Amino acid sequence: MWTTLTGWGALLSAAGAVGCALWGVGRYPPLVTETGLAALSVIFATAWIAASRRAPRRTGLPPVTGRALVWLVAWLVPLATLACFNLGFMVSSEYGRETERLEAARYGQYSVTVVRLAGAPVRGHNASDEPVYFETDLVLRIPYDSGPREVTMPSMYTRYDPPKAGMRIDVYYAPGDARPASPVLEDGRRWGTGVIGSRMFLVTAFPVLFAGVVLTGALSYEMPGRVRRFTPSVHLPALGILLLGLLLLLPTALGWEAGGLARPAAFLSCVTPGAALAWIWRSSL
């Protein structure tokens, strides 16, 4: 009984960590819930090894493959790969907190008034078939909720004609942000703070769907009996591969800079779920 409970606990904890990473419980690092569930899956896996080693061995029985186990493993592996891949695109904790603050202050694109020119317009040198543009330092009146402010914006671009006082120009800012250094940008579109966006989901959903269907068919046809009971030569290397993947994800999940290596390490972890399953399958035949 303990072998079954701890084995399912490890799988369900890992599934919870993958699900939280994909559907964004944490909007930016540190991913406390996701990391906690991943650590819990390691604890359950260790308990499963101990319980399996102590359980009496039954002989003369055919291997039994639970349908629920087949489905969980078949879909968890591609979804875990997807979660690792998307974590590689996660924004930093500083960027996430700033984005959250600006969004709460209604950050977006607004039309504001040019008060005066802070320098002479400089005509750009585009190709002959492109519109003429001018680059100018401008003083803009920004209507914040706390009152209007004048902000000098260097190197603003206008098409066709040089800018002049009184004209309207589009900028990105947050009307409700009372900080003196609140950002005002000509092109200030920000990355979302969620792990997976709609475009990324569309790009990655079809490979995950294909892999899940293929693995479900393969595992339903024949799952080796040694997969279901702990065998050192089968499961310990697979556990090591998964732990390596978890270690590669920790810098991104916890918001460590790691000398600029956090993002490449997260992408490298994508291969570990599939590698662990391949090892178990090949070595348990």
Side-chain angles (χ1 to χ4, degrees), residues 95-281:
Y95 187 92
R97 284 191 291 268
E98 176 70 2
T99 300
E100 197 171 58
R101 182 186 298 113
L102 292 173
E103 287 177 347
R106 307 189 312 279
Y107 182 81
Q109 187 179 40
Y110 300 90
S111 180
V112 299
T113 303
V114 175
V115 178
R116 60 183 179 273
L117 276 63
V122 178
R123 179 168 175 160
H125 299 285
N126 269 347
S128 58
D129 59 343
E130 295 181 1
V132 174
Y133 71 91
F134 292 86
E135 182 179 351
T136 316
D137 297 340
L138 301 176
V139 179
L140 308 177
R141 180 178 291 111
I142 310 296
Y144 286 96
D145 294 348
S146 58
R149 305 180 209 164
E150 291 189 0
V151 176
T152 301
M153 296 289 295
S155 303
M156 295 288 289
Y157 288 91
T158 54
R159 289 188 174 187
Y160 304 111
D161 298 309
K164 58 184 178 180
M167 74 178 295
R168 305 285 291 182
I169 195 166
D170 291 335
V171 295
Y172 287 82
Y173 79 103
D177 190 358
R179 295 175 298 167
S182 180
V184 178
L185 302 168
E186 185 172 14
D187 185 357
R189 289 168 291 186
R190 300 183 70 84
W191 288 74
T193 52
V195 178
I196 181 169
S198 57
R199 292 182 181 178
M200 184 64 68
F201 179 79
L202 291 175
V203 170
T204 55
F206 292 106
V208 168
L209 182 63
F210 176 78
V213 170
V214 170
L215 284 176
T216 301
L219 295 177
S220 297
Y221 177 73
E222 182 182 5
M223 178 181 280
R226 293 172 67 192
V227 171
R228 296 180 58 86
R229 184 181 178 87
F230 173 70
T231 305
S233 61
V234 174
H235 292 97
L236 285 181
L239 181 61
I241 294 171
L242 292 175
L243 287 176
L244 174 62
L246 180 60
L247 290 175
L248 290 172
L249 283 174
L250 280 181
T252 297
L254 299 179
W256 300 338
E257 293 300 326
L261 297 177
R263 195 178 301 274
F267 287 127
L268 185 59
S269 70
C270 294
V271 303
T272 57
L277 179 61
W279 172 268
I280 288 177
W281 183 270

